[in-house]
Amino acid sequence: MTFTAPTPAQIEAAYTVARERYAALGVDTEAAMTTLATVSLSLHCWQGDDVGGFENPGGPLEGGIAATGNYPGKARNGDELRSDLDLVYRLLPGRHRLNLHAIYAETGGVKVSRDELRPEHFATWLDWAKANGHGIDFNPTCFSHPLAADGMTLAHPDPAIRRFWIDHCIACRRIGAHFGRELGTPCVTNIWIPDGMKDNPVDRLGPRQRLRESLDAILAEPLDPAHNRDAVEAKLFGIGSESYVVGSHEFYLGYAVSHPGLLICLDSGHFHPTEVISDKISAVLLFVDELLLHVSRGVRWDSDHVVTLSDETQAMMQEVVRGGFLSRTHIGLDFFDASINRVAAWTIGARNVLRALLIALLEPTGRLRELELAGDTTARLAILEELKGMPWQAVWDMYCYRHDVPIGIAFLNEIRHYEAAVLAMRS
Ligand code: RNT
Ligand code: ZN
């Protein structure tokens, strides 16, 4: 089935009506599109191969995270992954970044220990990013490794194992700084570790003391924030760490607040099921300079379903826009679904975040604020509910049209074509 896109004349006509409807509310659709074009999402490389990486092809994914499904066409090497990413970027309006993990090093078949990784092992990624105008963000990989097998890394009781992971993270910060220097845009290097326990620990404090010491050692080397910025990511629980996670939200929030310049990463799948990160953004940004978002979707025990245009996705983007936080927020994606076409998963999730941002930018926030301050909560509710039916889709279509990317569901035609021509050849 091929999906037909509207004609340019139809896009233009719908946009003209939408622009007038928004203008009547005091919203400038042109300004919204101009602002949206300044936002770069950081696309997570790991959606393309189920967080496999190239270090140990076919090895298990460990660390309390899981990709389920066996949809054909998974990328098996750097060239395939970059080819898949090229298509995703072609289907997204705007210019976007890449979020890379250390296990995606290309070492030419030579085994390089993670604590010895260097920028040269990412030279192909860097060349590709340069050629295509992508900034790069980075992550040490503190999972899927024999030294992470007992569920502890930076908080491990064995000092030699801790040292290995400290050295890995130090190596990654330097690689991040190299990316930032070479690309002229700072790399956000984000530390997430799986450390935790399946059952109740007796000592909840000791591992946290060790994690603090490890982080101090990792961050001791000052790096130019124009090249590298560090982030830390908390989690509530993982598979096999149901009773205790060393790097909890309270731990990292305290750590980041006491280390100026350090970013907090809020992953939307890492909290209690009824707890939302949209409400945390304004609180955290009162005390830390910048924020990294891992936009994801938690479903029961899983924190990593494909992002939909849910109320919470919209609420997150509303908070970023309403608070004037766009310049202090790095928006990364973090989901992995192996049960559907992986290129489609990336594209659907990323387009949803952009659509949520556009909807947020098409809000008469100043007017709503005035009503709220005046105590007119009736009008606030009435307007917020009316906004849900406003023709934002016509503005989105125009935005895609001007950026020369597929309009609406027509993006799926290109993915189906790529699936038949490229993905189906992978076995
Ligand atoms: C895991 C964290 C983390 C990972 C990536 C692969 O729960 O969300 O961000 O998803 O590092
Ligand atoms: Zn995450």
Side-chain angles (χ1 to χ4, degrees), residues 63-92:
I65 50 180
T68 51
N70 55 1
Y71 199 88
K74 165 163 105 172
R76 297 164 300 180
N77 54 51
D79 289 340
E80 290 182 352
L81 195 51
R82 281 182 288 274
S83 163
D84 295 356
L85 278 160
D86 283 338
L87 174 56
V88 179
Y89 289 117
R90 280 203 302 279
L91 302 176
L92 302 181

Side-chain angles (χ1 to χ4, degrees), residues 53-57 77-78 82 101-125 175:
F54 312 141
E55 188 183 82
N56 178 21
N77 54 51
R82 281 182 288 274
H101 238 285
I103 43 170
Y104 293 83
E106 288 167 289
T107 59
V110 180
K111 187 155 179 46
V112 177
S113 178
R114 288 191 201 172
D115 54 342
E116 285 167 3
L117 285 169
R118 282 192 306 274
E120 68 220 49
H121 301 124
F122 297 90
T124 314
W125 284 111
I175 294 164

Side-chain angles (χ1 to χ4, degrees), residues 76-386:
R76 297 164 300 180
N77 54 51
D79 289 340
E80 290 182 352
L81 195 51
R82 281 182 288 274
S83 163
D84 295 356
L85 278 160
D86 283 338
L87 174 56
V88 179
Y89 289 117
R90 280 203 302 279
L91 302 176
L92 302 181
R95 193 162 290 294
H96 301 288
R97 304 172 64 85
L98 173 73
N99 199 2
L100 204 53
H101 238 285
I103 43 170
Y104 293 83
E106 288 167 289
T107 59
V110 180
K111 187 155 179 46
V112 177
S113 178
R114 288 191 201 172
D115 54 342
E116 285 167 3
L117 285 169
R118 282 192 306 274
E120 68 220 49
H121 301 124
F122 297 90
T124 314
W125 284 111
L126 184 59
D127 290 346
W128 171 81
K130 258 185 202 163
N132 294 286
H134 305 302
I136 299 185
D137 300 306
F138 200 48
N139 303 262
T141 310
C142 302
F143 53 84
S144 302
H145 188 280
L147 290 181
D150 30 326
M152 286 280 180
T153 62
L154 292 175
H156 203 287
D158 179 343
I161 294 179
R162 276 203 311 279
R163 189 69 238 175
F164 174 82
W165 292 111
I166 290 168
D167 288 341
H168 173 53
C169 291
I170 290 175
C172 287
R173 291 184 74 221
R174 291 179 184 160
I175 294 164
H178 178 76
F179 289 146
R181 200 180 306 113
E182 290 291 312
L183 295 170
T185 168
C187 171
V188 176
T189 301
N190 175 53
I191 298 177
W192 172 74
I193 58 167
D195 298 33
M197 289 192 189
K198 181 184 177 74
D199 230 322
N200 285 317
V202 172
D203 183 8
R204 289 177 181 267
L205 175 63
R208 290 184 171 140
Q209 284 171 326
R210 294 194 290 270
L211 176 55
R212 177 164 75 172
E213 281 168 20
S214 294
L215 290 171
D216 287 349
I218 291 164
L219 300 171
E221 179 181 11
L223 295 174
D224 187 342
H227 301 149
N228 182 74
R229 300 190 193 167
D230 302 287
V232 285
E233 178 181 4
K235 191 167 179 174
L236 180 68
F237 78 95
I239 305 166
S241 60
E242 291 86 358
S243 302
Y244 173 64
V245 165
V246 183
S248 60
H249 182 53
E250 291 72 14
F251 174 90
Y252 281 125
L253 189 58
Y255 193 85
V257 168
S258 53
H259 291 77
L262 191 59
L263 279 68
I264 269 283
C265 171
L266 294 176
D267 183 311
S268 43
H270 284 190
F271 294 87
H272 285 280
T274 58
E275 195 178 359
V276 285
I277 68 166
S278 51
D279 185 46
K280 301 182 189 297
I281 293 171
S282 57
V284 167
L285 279 174
L286 275 177
F287 302 100
V288 301
D289 295 338
E290 292 181 11
L291 197 63
L292 169 62
L293 296 181
H294 270 189
V295 186
S296 185
R297 177 166 54 107
V299 177
R300 305 195 187 279
W301 55 266
D302 178 57
S303 62
D304 302 294
H305 274 53
V306 178
V307 171
T308 55
L309 187 58
S310 63
D311 284 355
E312 174 56 9
T313 304
Q314 293 186 56
M316 280 184 252
M317 297 307 126
Q318 277 165 353
E319 276 303 301
V320 173
V321 169
R322 289 176 184 169
F325 299 139
L326 270 174
S327 62
R328 295 168 63 196
T329 308
H330 304 259
I331 306 176
L333 310 181
D334 185 9
F335 49 81
F336 24 100
D337 191 333
S339 75
I340 59 174
N341 180 305
R342 293 170 185 79
V343 173
W346 254 324
T347 308
I348 294 165
R351 283 176 70 115
N352 278 335
V353 176
L354 292 173
R355 294 200 296 171
L357 266 168
L358 179 63
I359 293 170
L361 288 163
L362 290 171
E363 180 187 87
T365 309
R367 199 171 274 193
L368 285 161
R369 251 184 232 287
E370 280 167 27
L371 290 167
E372 184 167 279
L373 269 177
D376 192 349
T377 48
T378 306
R380 180 186 64 186
L381 181 63
I383 294 174
L384 285 174
E385 289 305 298
E386 273 306 299

